Amino acid sequence: MLVQDRPLPKPSKSDAAAAMNNHHRRFSGPPKNLEFSAWASDNLYKILAVLFLIATVAGLFFLRGASGDSAVLLCLDHRHPLRPSKDSLDRIPLPRIAWDSVPPLRPDDPSSDPFSSFRHPRWIVVSADSDPSSVAPFSRIKGWQLLSVANSETPPDWSLKGAIHLSLEQQSRLGFRVTAHLPYGSHVRKAVGYLYAVRHGARAIYDADERVEVIGADLESRFDVDLVGERSRKEPLLQYSHENPNRTVVNPYIHFGQRSVWPRGLPLEDVGEFSHEEFYTEIHSGRQFIQQGLSNGLPDVDSVFYFTRKSKLEAFDIRFDEGAQVVALPQGMVVPVNSFNTLFHYQAFWGLMLPVSVSSMASDILRGYWAQRVLWEIGGYVAVYPPTVHRVDRVQSYPFAEEKDLHVNVGRLIKFLVSWRSKKPTLFERVLELSHAMAEEGFWGEQDLRFTADWLQDLLAVGYRQPRLMSLELDRPRATIGHGDRREFVPRRLPSVHLGVEETGTVSTEIGNLVRWRKHFGNVVLILYCSGPADRTALEWRLLYGRVFKTVVILSEQKDVDLAVEYGQLWQAYKYLPKVFDRYKSADGFVFLQDDMILNYWNLLQADKTKLWITNKVSSSWMTTTIDANSSEWFKKHSKMVKKVVRSMPVHFQVTYKENIGEKQKVTLCGSEVFYVPQRHVTDFADLVSLVGDLEMHQKIAIPLFFLAMDSPSNYDSSALGSMIYVTDSSSNNSSSFYSAEVPAVYPWSIRSESDFVKLVRAMAAGDPLLMDLV
């Protein structure tokens, strides 16, 4: 308890009497000596208080007029070294580091580190999570030094001949700043091991996992360990084409023969991209500072893949093409990079930092994307290599909850990284600035910003020299890829797993169907209104429809930035559509869909994407009524609004509408649960929305009004939705009882939870068997 919080003792009666006497003497006693020294002595505490107040005010004015170095103000904030001040509002302050003044670590004490004088250029770093026998094969790889890093799960007697082991106690005595940030029970404690290896002469670090075994026990034959010199690769590397500037992430497994498998960390919206490259380009070898190897057996896959590609609890044994060529990534394009089979060269040692504020399953993936972006600043790139290890599938649980944040944020992170720019003069300043920006954007926590600052200082303290900057190729005009610059490579089609069934060498019927659907709808945007809990269903809707459509834009009254859910009210959802139209100007068209309307897209391949679609042939959804004295107040109110809008229409809209509606007193009502607007009518739709303006017109009235003004119903593609199932009797809670995979759409099916979604997907799998991958 603070001193000022303690209760004061109650005064006794004698004390109170003495106090009253003193108070009386203060005013009624003889006059005091007015000599200055006596007065000063009596009032010393008052004088000191005034002087302190004057000094404080002067100090504030001095700081206000200072050169603007916010570090001064930061030092005054005693609450937390990185907590925002009032002036910075909610912004996270950027740490100030005197890079040239970071003191080197003092020489190791042999009593705390028996290997203090040991130096080696090549290190394997693993987390010692279990029995030493699991990492024993690493200790037998010639030319490499194994380093194991303990955590709270490590057996206390862990020991392995040929390995250097850092216990928790030893880690605490090494003097690294980062140790204060590391959780005790996590593999991210490998950060201590990376720094230890750098301090002991590392020029290459192989980031490994205890569950893998290097094929042939030879890393030099699997990776480009030497980037220069006689043993270095002389021939150029294949490189993904940069012809499409909007392509920012790739699935490398396709290049190595597995088209239906995707790596952990690939945005789920990109899972449907399974076609091989039309062509590649080439790049000189020597700057592949980060090298990602593949794993046979159980590759690095996420929980979505792991739990959806099995019919039983059998172990995966997936193989990649060992003869496929190494492939590099150009600037502006990234690939998932993990922490269990990756080689880092000296120039990329700064990129070994594993963030600590995110889940363990997301830590290495975020590190990989972050490091790739910084790698471009020094002219480096990532290359992906044929299988270098084998990992046995132990058929154990994959925690989806640990990955959920990764699935939600990784797509947004990639877009952010590609657009990020810095003008800082040194690499480490840019690294820190990017970490700061990622903290402000919420990709990781403020703790990782502090961690980055300490990590970079520790690197300098152990003698690491930061690479020099190079001009960013992203900001240069892209060179045209001529015919002579193209390199062809057709990946082998290896046996894989799909829906728990092994695939043959030919494309399965299900894959062929998905190709056709994607080809038909691949440039159509789906705008889905989520009336259920968006935080529980948004990801599922993207998984369901994102495989087929160009993108899925989700509207909801529950806005969620992290889930990319935009705000919108269903009764006026049409007013938000023009904003989406502007965002995707090259799209063929736009489908609007309420979440309780299920779209069987496989039955819409014959639909005309140049025409309007709506439920005008579904009598329960589309009806025209005459407004008279017996009509409800709601209809009368909307009838007046319709007349007002029609009067303000340009002549072509007005004429078309009146020809279609006939009598003046009629109003058309439509459920508007699903409709399609082709690109040629996008401007018309937006113009009609602007005519409604601030009128509180309901969507069920506005949409048929717009459609009847844009074109005649005889020109709609009525066959697209005309045969749908539309049930108005809400007494039945069993939607599966009337669902059919033979019609283009089914209404209604309420989705309020993941379990509802699973039931829906199982029903829809009758038309698209690949949907079983999602459950």
Side-chain angles (χ1 to χ4, degrees):
M1 181 184 291
L2 297 176
V3 174
Q4 57 266 34
D5 291 336
R6 295 174 182 164
L8 296 174
K10 295 182 180 180
S12 64
K13 291 183 179 181
S14 59
D15 291 337
M20 287 298 294
N21 291 333
N22 289 336
H23 180 76
H24 177 75
R25 287 196 300 268
R26 183 178 176 184
F27 293 98
S28 61
K32 290 185 177 182
N33 189 350
L34 295 180
E35 184 180 359
F36 177 80
S37 59
W39 176 85
S41 176
D42 291 343
N43 295 278
L44 180 61
Y45 72 97
K46 295 181 180 179
I47 296 172
L48 291 176
V50 171
L51 289 175
F52 178 78
L53 179 61
I54 294 173
T56 302
V57 174
L60 291 175
F61 275 99
F62 168 77
L63 291 176
R64 186 176 182 182
S67 59
D69 187 355
S70 61
V72 179
L73 292 177
L74 186 61
C75 293
L76 290 177
D77 188 1
H78 62 278
R79 297 167 299 170
H80 198 288
L82 288 177
R83 186 169 295 172
S85 64
K86 292 181 180 179
D87 292 336
S88 63
L89 297 178
D90 294 328
R91 295 183 63 83
I92 300 173
L94 179 69
R96 303 286 183 174
I97 300 174
W99 299 102
D100 297 330
S101 303
V102 177
L105 284 179
R106 64 180 183 273
D108 289 330
D109 182 359
S111 63
S112 61
D113 181 12
F115 304 99
S116 58
S117 61
F118 178 76
R119 297 292 182 271
H120 200 286
R122 297 172 181 172
W123 293 72
I124 300 173
V125 180
V126 298
S127 178
D129 295 328
S130 58
D131 189 84
S133 61
S134 61
V135 297
F138 289 123
S139 66
R140 295 190 288 268
I141 298 178
K142 293 182 180 180
W144 292 79
Q145 175 58 51
L146 175 62
L147 173 65
S148 64
V149 183
N151 57 52
S152 60
E153 302 298 322
T154 305
D157 58 347
W158 200 101
S159 177
L160 178 66
K161 183 179 180 180
I164 297 176
H165 179 65
L166 298 179
S167 66
L168 287 174
E169 182 181 356
Q170 287 174 305
Q171 295 172 37
S172 66
R173 293 201 301 259
L174 292 175
F176 298 142
R177 296 171 177 84
V178 299
T179 308
H181 302 279
L182 301 174
Y184 283 100
S186 172
H187 72 281
V188 301
R189 297 197 69 86
K190 287 201 292 183
V192 174
Y194 305 143
L195 291 169
Y196 185 93
V198 176
R199 188 176 192 183
H200 288 258
R203 303 298 297 180
I205 294 177
Y206 178 55
D207 200 9
D209 185 272
E210 62 176 2
R211 296 168 295 175
V212 306
E213 185 171 348
V214 176
I215 298 173
D218 185 3
L219 287 172
E220 294 182 37
S221 65
R222 299 287 169 177
F223 289 104
D224 286 318
V225 178
D226 295 294
L227 294 181
V228 295
E230 294 182 358
R231 303 180 65 181
S232 64
R233 179 189 295 267
K234 300 300 186 290
E235 68 275 10
L237 301 177
L238 285 184
Q239 180 179 251
Y240 285 103
S241 166
H242 61 256
E243 186 176 52
N244 181 3
N246 296 321
R247 186 186 186 196
T248 56
V249 63
V250 295
N251 178 359
Y253 291 177
I254 298 172
H255 176 83
F256 294 94
Q258 292 291 352
R259 301 188 188 185
S260 62
V261 186
W262 66 87
R264 177 174 56 96
L266 187 75
L268 291 179
E269 59 264 30
D270 294 295
V271 166
E273 299 290 342
F274 48 79
S275 58
H276 67 79
E277 302 297 303
E278 293 183 14
F279 63 90
Y280 296 82
T281 58
E282 287 185 340
I283 189 172
H284 292 295
S285 177
R287 303 193 71 84
Q288 59 270 40
F289 300 144
I290 299 178
Q291 301 172 16
Q292 176 65 66
L294 300 188
S295 170
N296 279 337
L298 176 61
D300 186 23
V301 295
D302 58 24
S303 59
V304 175
F305 179 90
Y306 191 80
F307 285 125
T308 60
R309 297 298 174 109
K310 292 184 176 187
S311 56
K312 301 177 182 178
L313 289 178
E314 74 278 11
F316 275 131
D317 189 14
I318 298 173
R319 303 286 170 154
F320 292 98
D321 183 5
E322 296 193 21
Q325 299 181 49
V326 177
V327 60
L329 286 94
Q331 290 189 14
M333 190 178 296
V334 294
V335 69
V337 171
N338 59 48
S339 63
F340 75 77
N341 182 28
T342 312
L343 181 68
F344 286 77
H345 280 272
Y346 183 89
Q347 295 88 337
F349 281 175
W350 45 265
L352 282 161
M353 183 195 82
L354 288 165
V356 296
S357 67
V358 297
S359 67
S360 60
M361 298 296 286
S363 180
D364 57 343
I365 299 300
L366 264 64
R367 175 189 75 171
Y369 285 131
W370 166 81
Q372 287 176 81
R373 176 59 189 87
V374 179
L375 203 59
W376 303 340
E377 302 292 329
I378 58 173
Y381 56 86
V382 169
V384 185
Y385 286 69
T388 54
V389 300
H390 186 275
R391 181 168 65 149
V392 176
D393 182 8
R394 309 270 182 208
V395 193
Q396 57 190 10
S397 62
Y398 262 54
F400 180 79
E402 285 286 304
E403 295 181 355
K404 192 165 186 178
D405 291 337
L406 180 63
H407 293 310
V408 169
N409 288 324
V410 70
R412 187 169 66 93
L413 171 62
I414 292 171
K415 294 178 182 178
F416 167 78
L417 291 173
V418 172
S419 63
W420 179 81
R421 296 293 185 274
S422 175
K423 295 182 179 180
K424 295 292 184 181
T426 66
L427 177 67
F428 277 13
E429 287 178 285
R430 294 190 181 186
V431 172
L432 188 61
E433 186 178 42
L434 177 57
S435 296
H436 174 253
M438 288 177 60
E440 287 201 318
E441 291 292 328
F443 295 116
W444 58 30
E446 186 178 348
Q447 181 184 3
D448 277 315
L449 174 60
R450 300 193 297 273
F451 185 33
T452 304
D454 285 344
W455 164 259
L456 297 176
Q457 291 178 87
D458 278 341
L459 280 174
L460 294 176
V462 298
Y464 181 76
R465 294 185 178 182
Q466 52 181 311
R468 65 183 181 88
L469 297 172
M470 298 182 68
S471 59
L472 197 64
E473 293 180 9
L474 275 178
D475 294 333
R476 304 176 194 166
R478 292 277 184 165
T480 302
I481 302 174
H483 183 74
D485 300 321
R486 301 186 177 202
R487 298 291 180 268
E488 290 188 0
F489 173 79
V490 179
R492 293 175 59 191
R493 179 72 174 177
L494 297 178
S496 183
V497 289
H498 209 67
L499 296 172
V501 180
E502 289 197 5
E503 294 178 354
T504 63
T506 60
V507 179
S508 66
T509 302
E510 289 82 5
I511 289 289
N513 287 335
L514 187 57
V515 170
R516 289 199 302 274
W517 302 333
R518 180 71 183 183
K519 185 176 181 180
H520 189 74
F521 292 109
N523 200 32
V524 173
V525 174
L526 176 67
I527 306 170
L528 186 138
Y529 189 90
C530 185
S531 56
D535 59 332
R536 299 172 64 184
T537 58
L539 178 60
E540 284 77 3
W541 287 123
R542 284 200 172 90
L543 288 173
L544 174 61
Y545 292 122
R547 301 155 58 254
V548 176
F549 290 91
K550 178 183 180 72
T551 191
V552 179
V553 177
I554 297 182
L555 301 177
S556 172
E557 289 190 4
Q558 306 165 21
K559 181 178 179 179
D560 193 316
V561 176
D562 292 335
L563 292 172
V565 176
E566 303 173 33
Y567 177 77
Q569 293 181 306
L570 179 58
W571 74 282
Q572 285 195 322
Y574 63 92
K575 292 189 176 181
Y576 302 92
L577 302 193
K579 297 178 183 178
V580 181
F581 296 166
D582 287 341
R583 203 181 309 162
Y584 300 97
K585 294 182 179 179
S586 63
D588 293 339
F590 300 83
V591 173
F592 177 86
L593 186 71
Q594 291 179 207
D595 59 354
D596 50 0
M597 174 70 74
I598 306 306
L599 198 66
N600 294 339
Y601 42 81
W602 53 88
N603 293 322
L604 288 169
L605 291 181
Q606 304 304 317
D608 192 337
K609 293 184 292 183
T610 65
K611 294 184 177 182
L612 294 164
W613 317 342
I614 199 167
T615 54
N616 62 306
K617 293 297 184 180
V618 181
S619 58
S620 299
S621 174
W622 178 286
M623 60 191 72
T624 300
T625 183
T626 301
I627 305 302
D628 54 28
N630 296 323
S631 300
S632 68
E633 291 300 320
W634 189 88
F635 269 110
K636 291 178 182 178
K637 175 184 174 181
H638 277 82
S639 176
K640 292 179 181 178
M641 286 190 281
V642 168
K643 291 178 181 178
K644 183 175 181 179
V645 172
V646 171
R647 285 196 300 268
S648 65
M649 286 180 179
V651 61
H652 61 289
F653 287 145
Q654 194 171 138
V655 169
T656 303
Y657 177 78
K658 290 181 178 179
E659 287 179 351
N660 292 329
I661 198 66
E663 299 180 24
K664 294 182 179 180
Q665 297 301 319
K666 286 187 176 181
V667 170
T668 299
L669 176 75
C670 177
S672 306
E673 297 89 357
V674 58
F675 56 86
Y676 171 78
V677 180
Q679 182 60 241
R680 69 187 185 94
H681 280 302
V682 160
T683 302
D684 294 341
F685 192 99
D687 290 344
L688 290 165
V689 171
S690 66
L691 291 178
V692 174
D694 296 331
L695 293 177
E696 295 184 350
M697 183 180 292
H698 199 283
Q699 169 140 320
K700 292 183 178 182
I701 298 293
I703 294 301
L705 168 63
F706 295 170
F707 270 64
L708 292 171
M710 287 189 288
D711 206 349
S712 169
S714 62
N715 294 327
Y716 302 168
D717 187 350
S718 301
S719 62
L721 300 170
S723 60
M724 67 175 292
I725 294 176
Y726 195 96
V727 177
T728 56
D729 181 10
S730 59
S731 60
S732 175
N733 294 323
N734 186 13
S735 301
S736 60
S737 63
F738 56 79
Y739 175 83
S740 171
E742 306 299 323
V743 297
V746 177
Y747 175 86
W749 191 312
S750 178
I751 304 295
R752 294 295 181 270
S753 65
E754 290 86 348
S755 60
D756 292 339
F757 181 80
V758 169
K759 294 176 183 177
L760 169 64
V761 166
R762 286 174 176 164
M764 293 179 69
D768 180 3
L770 298 187
L771 285 177
M772 289 303 293
D773 284 1
L774 304 182
V775 298

